[in-house]
Amino acid sequence: MDQQVAIVTGSARGIGKSIAEKLAKQGFQIVICDIDQEQVEKTAKEIEQLGTKAIGIKVDVTKPAEVDQLFEETMKTFSRVDVLINNAGITRDTLLIRMQESDWDAVIAVNLKGTFNCTKSAAKIMMKQRSGKIVNISSVVGVMGNVGQANYSASKGGVISLTKSAAKELAARGITVNAVAPGYIETDMTKSLSDEVKAAFLTVVPLKRPGTPADVANVVNFLVSPDSDYITGQVIHVDGGMVM
Ligand code: NDP
């Protein structure tokens, strides 16, 4: 993968950072992007220690102008974009009847509109290159739904539908678009869940353990490698068997 370029959104920490590390070890040059400038720079430096070139760009994926700038800066530095991982995501959990409009809007804006914004910008470049791989991070909740996550499940279900439409539109130009649907993965996002909720999750995981960011990164790595060239429009579950 030497000289190929991968942009990973929401990659200052968590699953995104793990994906960036995995791709860096495969030889990809990496663009770390996230909303916190300090964290972005810190993570980009850590990635460079793995022996590849990495740049950090502060971007809010909900803002099309910032996303345009992300791709412009990436092209200025590397002159190509081979891989886009739409990973940035947030939760604002509460029961449907208590959910504020702002909780709904914030989650849809980052998880779904952010994925649209970045996919659109990447597609313009990849179509000219006639190659590219896009991987969207969805969730099992986007398939199953979940109590207290009407906004999140709608956003992640939307990501799956967006993945399929983009896969159909872009296939003729040699671009694949797939989604990964993680289950319960141990990160900052799930750290705040009560022990009771965590234990309840594990009762429905046949493999009887939470997933790690590396479990997700390994599958993403496959989906951006030539080994997956004949796979597009698919949703790969990384959930210990939760959904089958
Ligand atoms: P984290 O909260 O640990 O990381 C998410 C990252 O996205 C953070 O660095 C965050 O920045 C960044 N981010 C938030 N909003 C924006 C924005 N507007 N623009 C750019 N970056 C932004 O989450 P995880 O690593 O756990 O999750 C990564 C992805 O995996 C998400 O899409 C999530 O929905 C999905 N997922 C996670 C599961 C889990 O169990 N952890 C299960 C299923 C799916 P900051 O820290 O500054 O807010």
Side-chain angles (χ1 to χ4, degrees):
M1 299 307 167
D2 283 348
Q3 306 311 315
Q4 290 208 21
V5 177
I7 297 178
V8 187
T9 70
S11 51
R13 61 192 175 95
I15 293 171
K17 183 178 179 186
S18 187
I19 293 169
E21 286 167 348
K22 180 77 188 181
L23 300 190
K25 286 178 191 162
Q26 305 305 310
F28 278 98
Q29 303 179 91
I30 304 290
V31 181
I32 297 291
C33 57
D34 211 299
I35 39 175
D36 185 303
Q37 178 78 46
E38 219 174 281
Q39 277 298 320
V40 157
E41 285 169 14
K42 186 170 165 277
T43 302
K45 276 193 192 127
E46 286 174 31
I47 297 291
E48 282 212 312
Q49 280 164 13
L50 297 171
T52 192
K53 182 165 176 163
I55 58 169
I57 300 176
K58 179 192 169 298
V59 59
D60 178 346
V61 294
T62 68
K63 306 218 163 84
E66 289 191 25
V67 170
D68 283 348
Q69 212 178 330
L70 161 72
F71 281 84
E72 272 165 33
E73 276 187 50
T74 302
M75 288 301 281
K76 220 185 280 170
T77 309
F78 296 112
S79 307
R80 56 186 301 116
V81 176
D82 300 285
V83 164
L84 167 68
I85 313 297
N86 282 305
N87 166 80
I90 60 167
T91 52
R92 295 279 185 278
D93 297 351
T94 189
L95 292 174
L96 181 62
I97 55 166
R98 291 200 198 120
M99 192 171 283
Q100 302 293 314
E101 188 182 0
S102 57
D103 296 326
W104 174 270
D105 288 347
V107 170
I108 299 291
V110 178
N111 300 5
L112 184 54
K113 189 179 167 195
T115 300
F116 162 72
N117 288 339
C118 295
T119 301
K120 187 176 167 185
S121 290
K124 287 179 191 165
I125 296 165
M126 291 174 175
M127 283 170 83
K128 282 189 197 140
Q129 289 174 181
R130 296 201 162 260
S131 68
K133 290 189 177 261
I134 300 174
V135 179
N136 298 326
I137 307 300
S138 177
S139 167
V140 287
V141 170
V143 178
M144 302 163 70
N146 200 19
V147 172
Q149 292 198 305
N151 49 1
Y152 186 76
S153 62
S155 73
K156 294 299 188 178
V159 163
I160 290 173
S161 303
L162 171 58
T163 300
K164 293 177 183 178
S165 294
K168 285 187 174 171
E169 281 191 30
L170 301 175
R173 301 294 182 106
I175 302 163
T176 64
V177 189
N178 290 289
V180 171
Y184 166 34
I185 309 294
E186 276 184 333
T187 67
D188 289 347
M189 187 180 265
T190 48
K191 204 164 64 183
S192 58
L193 296 173
S194 68
D195 288 345
E196 212 180 356
V197 171
K198 286 179 187 170
F201 264 127
L202 290 183
T203 62
V204 292
V205 177
L207 287 178
K208 293 289 170 218
R209 69 163 176 89
T212 64
D215 289 324
V216 180
N218 289 338
V219 175
V220 171
N221 181 50
F222 166 67
L223 289 173
V224 303
S225 78
D227 290 346
S228 66
D229 276 354
Y230 201 53
I231 298 176
T232 196
Q234 302 305 306
V235 184
I236 313 292
H237 289 257
V238 183
D239 61 7
M242 195 190 281
V243 177
M244 64 169 85

